[in-house]
């Protein structure tokens, strides 16, 4: 018994989960929706975390992350492969977050207790203090100017190198470091107790 | 020695190898830079201590499914139009050929264009325009033809042919005179009136 293959399937780029991003993008452009599903599963965590840092709550972060992938899908043809796909995706995410979140005050919420790390050993007062400090930090970050906020979030919470941050936000490494410095200095001012 | 720059502060607190050792040692001698470095280092630590709340594992399955559902209504992304893989050198040659063609067309167009009028030609044209028709009437060839053709024409015959004056013709003719003609008409009328004792 011979197995006849569809000629188009054999000609399509590989859309396996082990394929690299460039190959998956080519498969998407060739018509494979499964390839983009793999891209989503591969990058959804980083995109969601970035959106959460900007939005401050789970619902908005989820909506933002969904929007990021929709925009990425529509603009796949513009990915030239000069930079890493993650850099390109981060750029879309930062733009979506800064445009949507902008100067709006964020609703900072915590997730359900089941989603929190197990801290039964921690004293109650320490837990409260930690929570309050975290909320204060997030509120202060939300008040930073856009470029400073982006530089701080990408550096501190995503541990991206400065040159990649520069590629994401479209500036120089020096400008990224300057924005990062100002972000930290402004955070200090915002978190300092008022006399 | 000058104080650390903003970028150098960042390199210092992150222990980046790009910061030259002598610059890193600056804080040992400069209290201002040392305090500043300590401030931003502590803020960075405080910010990084804010952990990322992790959503439920079910969230990720639902999330990718929601994205896939939304993409079903999206048109498939079209690949960007591919230019033919022509080397840049070929494009450069094509560009040069196009420029040469355009330059040739422009050159030939200007070569066969009528040459601009010389000053003598311009002044002659002005002279023709500025000739006073009243003064030159006796030498006007066209008027001479009219005079010759109408020399033997009787008024009655002209009237029968429709070449006659109608009420208002004099006024209409006067309104169509230019300023020089009007001045000359006034002069002739004054002379005639003086001659007749008016």
């Amino acid at each position: 018994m011979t197995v006849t293959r569809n000629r188009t399937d054999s000609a399509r780029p590989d859309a396996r989960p082990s394929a690299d991003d460039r190959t998956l993008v080519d498969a998407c452009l060739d018509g494979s929706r499964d390839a983009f599903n793999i891209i989503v599963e591969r990058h959804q965590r980083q995109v969601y975390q970035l959106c959460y840092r900007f939005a401050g709550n789970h619902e908005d972060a989820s909506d933002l992350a969904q929007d990021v992938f929709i925009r990425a899908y529509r603009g796949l043809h513009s990915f030239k492969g000069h930079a890493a796909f993650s850099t390109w995706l981060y750029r879309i995410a930062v733009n979506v977050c800064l445009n949507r979140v902008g100067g709006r005050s964020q609703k900072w919420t915590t997730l359900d207790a089941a989603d929190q790390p197990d801290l039964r050993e921690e004293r109650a007062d320490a837990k409260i203090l930690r929570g309050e400090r975290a909320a204060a930090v997030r509120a202060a970050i939300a008040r930073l100017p856009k470029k400073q906020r982006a530089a701080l979030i990408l550096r501190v919470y995503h541990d991206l190198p400065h040159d990649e941050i520069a590629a994401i936000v479209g500036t120089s490494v020096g400008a990224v470091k300057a924005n990062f410095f100002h972000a930290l200095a402004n955070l200090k001012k915002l978190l300092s107790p008022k006399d | 020695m000058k104080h650390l720059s903003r970028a150098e502060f960042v390199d210092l607190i992150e222990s980046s190898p790009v910061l030259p050792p002598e610059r890193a040692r600056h804080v040992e001698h400069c209290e201002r830079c040392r305090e500043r470095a300590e401030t931003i280092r502590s803020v960075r630590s405080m910010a990084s201590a804010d952990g990322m709340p992790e959503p439920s594992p079910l969230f990720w399955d639902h999330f990718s499914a929601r994205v896939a559902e939304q993409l079903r209504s999206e048109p498939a992304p079209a690949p960007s139009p591919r230019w033919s893989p022509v080397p840049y050198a070929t494009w450069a040659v094509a560009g040069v050929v196009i420029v040469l063609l355009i330059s040739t067309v422009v050159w030939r167009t200007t070569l066969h264009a009528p040459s601009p009028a010389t000053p003598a030609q311009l002044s002659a044209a002005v002279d023709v325009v500025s000739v006073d028709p009243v003064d030159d009437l006796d030498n006007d060839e066209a008027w001479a033809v009219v005079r010759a053709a109408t020399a033997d024409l009787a008024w009655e015959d002209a009237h029968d042919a429709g070449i006659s004056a109608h009420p208002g013709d004099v006024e209409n003719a006067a309104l169509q005179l230019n300023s020089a003609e009007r001045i000359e008409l006034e002069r002739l009328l004054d002379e005639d009136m003086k001659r007749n004792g008016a």
Side-chain angles (χ1 to χ4, degrees):
Chain A
M1 181 177 73
T2 56
V3 176
T4 55
R5 281 189 178 207
N6 187 335
R7 204 160 65 103
T8 56
D9 286 340
S10 62
R12 281 186 176 161
D14 193 359
R16 289 179 297 178
S18 58
D20 59 56
D21 287 334
R22 176 75 248 192
T23 304
L24 290 173
V25 169
D26 289 339
C28 289
L29 293 174
D30 207 48
S32 168
R33 292 189 186 267
D34 288 341
F36 195 77
N37 291 339
I38 298 172
I39 287 177
V40 171
E41 290 169 6
R42 184 176 293 177
H43 296 281
Q44 60 186 0
R45 194 175 300 268
Q46 288 80 11
V47 171
Y48 169 83
Q49 289 176 355
L50 179 72
C51 294
Y52 184 89
R53 289 294 177 186
F54 277 98
N57 65 83
H58 173 69
E59 289 75 22
D60 289 343
S62 177
D63 289 342
L64 284 172
Q66 201 167 325
D67 195 19
V68 169
F69 283 110
I70 300 301
R71 289 174 187 270
Y73 184 76
R74 290 173 183 163
L76 265 184
H77 62 275
S78 67
F79 175 65
K80 303 299 180 194
H82 302 308
F85 181 79
S86 58
T87 302
W88 183 78
L89 193 60
Y90 265 120
R91 187 180 305 143
I92 295 174
V94 168
N95 286 334
V96 167
C97 290
L98 289 179
N99 287 336
R100 287 269 297 275
V101 175
R104 283 190 354 225
S105 58
Q106 281 72 53
K107 300 177 294 182
W108 294 105
T109 61
T110 54
L111 298 177
D112 294 339
D115 302 318
Q116 297 283 7
D118 188 1
L119 296 170
R120 276 173 288 187
E121 295 298 325
E122 189 177 14
R123 286 171 51 186
D125 56 350
K127 189 188 294 184
I128 292 172
L129 190 63
R130 184 173 56 77
E132 288 177 354
R133 186 178 298 127
V137 169
R138 293 177 197 173
I141 291 175
R143 294 174 61 182
L144 292 175
K146 290 184 179 183
K147 288 189 178 176
Q148 293 179 20
R149 193 190 326 174
L152 185 137
I153 289 174
L154 292 171
R155 183 72 185 127
V156 172
Y157 300 114
H158 291 262
D159 203 25
L160 295 181
H162 292 290
D163 55 351
E164 187 170 349
I165 297 175
I168 290 169
V169 300
T171 58
S172 65
V173 172
V176 168
K177 290 182 179 178
N179 280 317
F180 185 50
F181 173 86
H182 286 302
L184 294 173
N186 285 332
L187 265 188
K188 173 66 178 174
K189 290 179 192 173
L190 291 168
L191 294 172
S192 297
K194 292 182 172 52
D195 296 330
Chain B
M1 183 179 288
K2 81 178 173 177
H3 297 300
L4 293 179
S5 66
R6 291 166 295 189
E8 287 175 330
F9 272 117
V10 171
D11 292 335
L12 178 72
I13 65 170
E14 296 183 341
S15 303
S16 171
V18 303
L19 185 68
E22 62 272 15
R23 296 301 288 159
R25 284 194 296 271
H26 170 80
V27 294
E28 297 175 8
H29 312 290
C30 178
E31 185 179 353
R32 172 187 155 177
C33 288
R34 187 167 56 247
E35 287 180 359
R36 211 167 189 192
E38 191 51 42
T39 297
I40 62 171
R41 185 182 282 120
S42 66
V43 173
R44 194 195 193 289
S45 297
M46 193 188 310
S48 61
D50 182 22
M52 177 68 205
E54 186 69 19
S56 161
L58 289 175
F59 168 77
W60 303 115
D61 294 333
H62 293 162
F63 178 82
S64 56
R66 278 205 309 275
V67 172
E69 176 66 31
Q70 198 162 344
L71 289 180
R72 280 198 196 99
S73 60
E74 290 282 328
S80 56
R82 294 181 185 275
W83 295 97
S84 62
V86 178
Y88 283 117
T90 306
W91 285 114
V93 170
V96 169
V97 169
I98 291 171
V99 168
L100 284 175
L101 280 173
I102 293 173
S103 302
T104 304
V105 168
V106 170
W107 175 72
R108 288 174 67 89
T109 302
T110 56
L111 183 67
H112 294 292
S115 56
T118 62
Q121 289 172 332
L122 283 172
S123 64
V126 169
D127 289 344
V128 169
V129 170
S130 65
V131 163
D132 188 344
V134 176
D135 291 336
D136 201 44
L137 203 55
D138 292 339
N139 297 324
D140 186 74
E141 291 182 3
W143 183 243
V145 169
V146 172
R147 281 186 303 186
T150 58
D152 296 326
L153 182 64
W155 173 250
E156 290 77 12
D157 294 333
H159 191 274
D160 291 338
I163 306 173
S164 61
H166 294 87
D169 279 357
V170 174
E171 289 79 6
N172 288 337
L175 289 173
Q176 291 175 16
L177 296 175
N178 59 31
S179 57
E181 290 167 339
R182 285 183 195 156
I183 292 171
E184 179 63 17
L185 178 60
E186 284 179 17
R187 186 185 68 78
L188 293 171
L189 289 173
D190 285 342
E191 281 183 358
D192 192 61
M193 289 170 69
K194 286 175 186 174
R195 204 169 28 248
N196 294 333

